[in-house]
């Protein structure tokens, strides 16, 4: 492979940053959630890159586990979003401000 | 039970009466009074028995003590509940219980029908109990307990009919004024503890001469005397006694004639050792007594209220006693105390009888000719008045005479002269009182229809009259029975060779008394002078005397009004604005803090997420730099 | 020029662009679709990096299952409508977010630059690691060294499934006859609505 590993690391950090900005800027809960998924994927990319760099499969296994957990998380998260929607009839996170002090 | 072992009964019996009457007085009804009287009589009987056993001992060993229990022990300072019976306290307990019994008996009839009958007797018994503790205490702290206790009972009893505001005010005035003296006395007690480490009489009197410097003794003595000034209503703390006449007459008789006000005299007599180490203190005592005697005597002359005449008269007579004490004639002061207890209590009870007959009227201008309607009261009262005026052979004559003789013979001419003037003044005001009240024409409806009081009220009058008359035999001279009896405790009467002869003293004072009485008879009872017109013409002067030389008004302007203003300022300005301001301010500050803190809680997920990110980046940078 | 380099330089911009596009779309469905594109790009990267198994799993699980789930929910809730992208409440949020994001990227850039440098290539021996095929090698590591976490994650999946069932359950409520009739009556005119039944 001729691509320096560092390129993958920087790329993943860019994707992570995009995901972070998405979490902070968007108001639709579902899109926020999708941004979180983007963040998770960026991290997976980093893991696999390092696995290649260190010549071991641990990184790939960890990425695999990350995917599993992300799947579970998506299931529960979407169920929560549906419950909250039933309550406040909106997926706008700004409408869920009952904890406002 | 031995004499020493039964000392505790003397104050305990009336205390029991007080407790019973406080708890179930209402249910007892009329028996409350009988119970209370019986217990005081029982205390009197025990006192007589105990004093009798005291007399059986030799002169120098006449002391019974009883240690009840250890009351206070703090570090090296300890105070026991100890009772001491020596010659001085023996005389006092006999006076307190004896005259107290008679007054209790009188009160059964006087207070009949009062809704708080039982409580009255509870307070009265409580007072007697405290007074006995005062005079029987072996140490100054017990004395102070009794001192404060009688002050409390005085407050309760003066304001017994508290529904009338002026009665409640009089009670307050009495308490506050005596408080001033009590506080000074407390400081004196503290100084004594500092010097001696204890408040026991035996220790203090034993080592006083060696331990106290003249200056220290003066300070302590003056502080203690300040307490006496308050309690015995001497100038300048005399203002409460005339107002205290608002209380029921038995109260005036017991507390403000026979017992409580004499506590000051007892204190000086008891602590004379310290007073003598400081010569200055004794001079202060004598001068205070002299001034008070003349001042109060003049005021008594200007009063129209029969009880107020007697009140000022009490103040004046107490002045005499302090004069005697100041001249080191302690036993004579004590004798005068005894005689005064008899005739003043008699006159107060007599005044109460007059008031009952006159439907609670106290203005002498509306009385007159009562001797025909109330013979027993009248005759007994006259006996008392003559005793006070110092007519031979009644008790007052001997007492007053001996004081004047000591003044003259120990080279105190001013005291003698002014004392004699005071004797004239007392004859004048007593004569005025007697002639206005009992002689002449009846000047009002009530006087027309007055009637004699019941037996339960007249019997004590008769007994007291007998006492007032014959008590003189107790101390016919400076070497009389009482003087010799109390000599081991208070020393002998100083003698001297200065001044005029004894017979001259006697003649002068006796003739002045007669003159005074005659003059008042002419003015008030003979009908030859229109005293009402005379009074109108002398209105301004009479006013001054009636208002007690306006001392009350001065106090009010100088102390009471600024005091009330200060209190109002503290309550409405300082407390409301500053104290409440601080408290509310703290609350407001907390709220403001919370309000600004609350802004962190936006309730929006996105701000929280931003905070996460910022924190995470900081951490990252930190870790990055560390590595 | 190696194939991986070409692939990298083609798909990296695509992945970044699709990420940003996901961020900027108003319609939620469009966002989801762009995210799927991003996932495909990532799958290619896994392939480049010598993880063919993950390449497959990425497409199957992420693009195929998770994103489909997302789309289901979007359709279920009917929120594919226009979203107001204007920021009214937290004015500082956007600039701050972008700033912090850029800061993060710079941070990683410098960290990487300082640590491994931009010219380091992957070591050569990766073929030995993938002996017998990547899947078999992965299986060897997974079921031996990481057996315990494997079991735990399987339990986690079961729990997640149960949790989702519980959370998404409608609370049963006793409905009166009157309410039933009122409900039916209200439904009648709504039939002609184009909105999907919520």
């Amino acid at each position: 492979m001729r691509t320096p590993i560092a390129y993958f690391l920087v790329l993943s950090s860019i994707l992570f940053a995009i995901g972070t900005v998405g979490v902070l800027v968007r108001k639709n809960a579902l899109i926020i959630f999708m941004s979180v998924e983007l963040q998770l994927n960026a991290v997976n990319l980093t893991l696999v890159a390092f696995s290649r760099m260190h010549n071991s499969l641990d990184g790939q296994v960890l990425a695999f586990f990350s995917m599993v957990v992300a799947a579970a998380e998506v299931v529960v998260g979407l169920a929560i979003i549906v419950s909250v929607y039933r309550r406040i009839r909106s997926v706008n996170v700004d409408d869920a401000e009952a904890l406002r002090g | 039970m031995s004499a020493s072992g039964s000392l505790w009964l003397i104050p305990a019996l009336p205390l029991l009466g007080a407790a019973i009457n406080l708890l179930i007085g209402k249910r007892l009804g009329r028996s409350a009074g009988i119970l209370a009287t019986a217990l005081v009589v029982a205390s009197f009987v025990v006192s007589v028995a105990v004093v009798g056993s005291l007399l059986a001992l030799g002169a120098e060993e006449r002391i019974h003590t009883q240690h009840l229990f250890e009351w206070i022990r703090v570090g090296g300072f300890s105070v026991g509940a100890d009772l001491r019976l020596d010659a001085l306290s023996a005389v006092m307990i006999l006076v307190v219980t004896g005259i107290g019994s008679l007054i209790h008996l009188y009160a059964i009839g006087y207070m009949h029908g009062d809704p708080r009958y039982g409580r009255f007797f509870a307070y009265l018994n409580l007072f007697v109990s405290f007074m006995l503790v005062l005079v029987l205490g072996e140490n100054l702290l017990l004395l102070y307990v009794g001192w404060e206790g009688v002050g409390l009972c005085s407050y309760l009893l003066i304001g017994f009919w508290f529904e009338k505001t002026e009665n409640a005010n009089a009670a307050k005035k009495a308490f506050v004024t005596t408080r001033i003296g009590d506080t000074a006395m407390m400081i004196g007690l503290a100084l004594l503890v500092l010097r001696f480490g204890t408040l026991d009489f035996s220790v203090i009197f034993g080592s006083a001469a060696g331990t106290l410097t003249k200056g220290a003794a003066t300070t302590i003595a003056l502080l203690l005397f300040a307490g006496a000034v308050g309690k015995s209503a001497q100038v300048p703390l005399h203002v409460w006694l005339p107002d205290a006449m608002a209380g029921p007459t038995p109260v005036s008789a017991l507390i403000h004639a026979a017992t409580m006000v004499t506590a000051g005299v007892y204190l000086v007599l008891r602590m004379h050792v310290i007073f003598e180490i400081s010569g200055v203190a004794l001079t202060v005592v004598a001068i205070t007594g002299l001034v008070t005697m003349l001042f109060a005597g003049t005021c008594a002359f200007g009063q129209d209220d029969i009880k107020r005449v007697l009140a000022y008269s009490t103040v004046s007579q107490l002045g005499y006693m302090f004069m005697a004490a100041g001249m080191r004639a302690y036993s004579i002061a004590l004798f005068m105390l005894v005689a005064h207890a008899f005739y003043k209590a008699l006159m107060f009870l007599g005044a109460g009888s007059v008031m009952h007959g006159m439907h609670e009227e106290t203005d002498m201008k509306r009385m007159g000719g009562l001797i025909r309607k109330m013979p027993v009261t009248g005759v007994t009262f006259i006996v008392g008045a003559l005793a006070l005026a110092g007519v031979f052979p009644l008790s007052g004559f001997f007492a007053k005479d001996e004081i004047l003789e000591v003044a003259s013979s120990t080279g105190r001419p001013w005291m003698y002269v002014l004392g004699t003037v005071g004797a004239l003044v007392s004859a004048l005001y007593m004569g005025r009182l007697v002639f206005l009240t009992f002689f002449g024409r009846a000047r009002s409806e009530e006087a027309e229809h007055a009637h004699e009081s019941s037996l339960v009220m007249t019997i004590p009058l008769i007994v007291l009259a007998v006492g007032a008359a014959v008590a003189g035999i107790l101390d016919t001279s400076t070497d009389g029975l009482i003087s010799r009896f109390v000599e081991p405790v208070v020393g002998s009467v100083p003698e001297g060779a200065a001044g005029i002869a004894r017979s001259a003293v006697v003649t002068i004072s006796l003739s002045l008394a007669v003159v005074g009485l005659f003059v008042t008879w002419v003015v008030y009872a003979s009908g030859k002078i229109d005293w009402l017109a005379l009074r109108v013409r002398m209105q301004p002067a009479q006013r001054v005397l009636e208002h007690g030389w306006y001392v009350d008004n001065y106090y009010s302007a100088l102390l009471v009004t600024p005091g009330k203003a200060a209190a109002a300022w503290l309550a409405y300005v300082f407390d409301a604005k500053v104290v409440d301001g601080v408290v509310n301010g703290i609350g407001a500050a907390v709220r403001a803090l919370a309000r600004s803190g609350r802004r962190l809680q936006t309730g929006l997920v996105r701000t929280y997420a931003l905070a996460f990110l910022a924190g995470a980046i900081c951490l990252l940078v930190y870790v990055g730099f560390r590595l | 020029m190696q194939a991986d380099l070409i692939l990298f330089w083609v798909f990296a911009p695509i992945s970044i662009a699709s990420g940003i596009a996901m961020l900027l779309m108003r319609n939620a469905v469009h966002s989801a679709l762009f995210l799927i594109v991003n996932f495909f790009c990532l799958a290619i990267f896994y392939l480049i990096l010598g993880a063919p198994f993950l390449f497959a799993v990425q497409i199957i699980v992420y693009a195929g299952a998770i994103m489909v789930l997302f789309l289901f929910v979007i359709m279920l809730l009917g929120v594919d409508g226009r979203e107001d992208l204007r920021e009214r409440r937290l004015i500082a949020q956007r600039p701050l977010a972008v700033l912090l994001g850029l800061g993060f990227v710079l941070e990683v850039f410098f960290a990487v630059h300082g640590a491994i440098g931009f010219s380091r290539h992957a070591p050569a021996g990766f073929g030995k690691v993938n002996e017998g095929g990547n899947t078999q090698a992965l299986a060897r590591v997974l079921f031996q060294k990481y057996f315990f976490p494997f079991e735990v994650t399987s339990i986690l999946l079961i729990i997640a499934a149960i949790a989702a069932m519980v959370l998404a359950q409608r609370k049963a409520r006793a409905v009166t006859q009157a309410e039933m009739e009122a409900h039916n009556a209200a439904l009648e005119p709504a039939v002609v609505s184009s909105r999907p039944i919520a």
Side-chain angles (χ1 to χ4, degrees), chain B residues 232-235 237-239 241-242 287-303 307-320 344 388 421-423 425-430 432 544-549 551:
Chain B
S232 298
Q234 299 295 288
V235 168
L237 293 175
H238 65 283
V239 289
L241 193 52
I287 295 185
T288 309
L290 182 66
V291 168
T292 308
M293 188 251 306
L294 284 173
F295 173 83
T298 53
C299 294
F301 190 71
Q303 304 296 319
K307 282 179 77 175
R308 281 179 85 99
V309 176
L310 293 173
Y312 275 111
S313 163
T314 302
V315 176
S316 175
Q317 297 289 294
L318 286 164
Y320 259 117
K344 194 46 72 62
L388 194 150
V421 170
V425 173
S426 19
L428 284 173
Y429 66 67
M430 271 311 14
R432 176 171 179 267
V544 168
L545 290 181
E546 190 178 353
H547 288 119
W549 298 82
V551 170

Side-chain angles (χ1 to χ4, degrees), chain B residues 291-375:
Chain B
V291 168
T292 308
M293 188 251 306
L294 284 173
F295 173 83
T298 53
C299 294
F301 190 71
Q303 304 296 319
D304 284 338
D305 184 320
I306 187 173
K307 282 179 77 175
R308 281 179 85 99
V309 176
L310 293 173
Y312 275 111
S313 163
T314 302
V315 176
S316 175
Q317 297 289 294
L318 286 164
Y320 259 117
M321 293 180 221
F322 281 111
M323 261 176 71
M327 294 193 291
R328 297 201 185 169
Y330 305 115
S331 57
I332 302 186
L334 185 65
F335 171 55
M336 177 140 194
L337 193 155
V338 175
H340 174 264
F342 274 110
Y343 55 69
K344 194 46 72 62
L346 164 64
M347 284 197 280
F348 265 113
L349 295 185
S353 178
V354 165
M355 280 162 62
H356 250 29
M358 293 275 295
H359 296 282
E360 309 311 322
E361 177 64 67
T362 56
D363 189 347
M364 289 193 293
K365 297 198 295 285
R366 297 173 62 82
M367 299 181 188
L370 286 178
I371 192 153
R372 290 184 285 277
K373 302 279 181 350
M374 311 171 74

Side-chain angles (χ1 to χ4, degrees), chain A residues 20 23-27 93-94 96-97 99-101, chain B residues 598 601-611 613:
Chain A
T20 313
V23 168
L24 291 171
V25 169
R26 295 299 298 252
K27 281 172 284 194
V93 290
D94 285 348
E97 53 166 6
L99 282 178
R100 184 185 173 81
Chain B
R598 228 186 295 141
Q601 301 286 329
T602 58
L604 298 176
V605 181
R606 296 192 288 143
T607 48
Y608 299 155
L610 191 64
L613 181 63

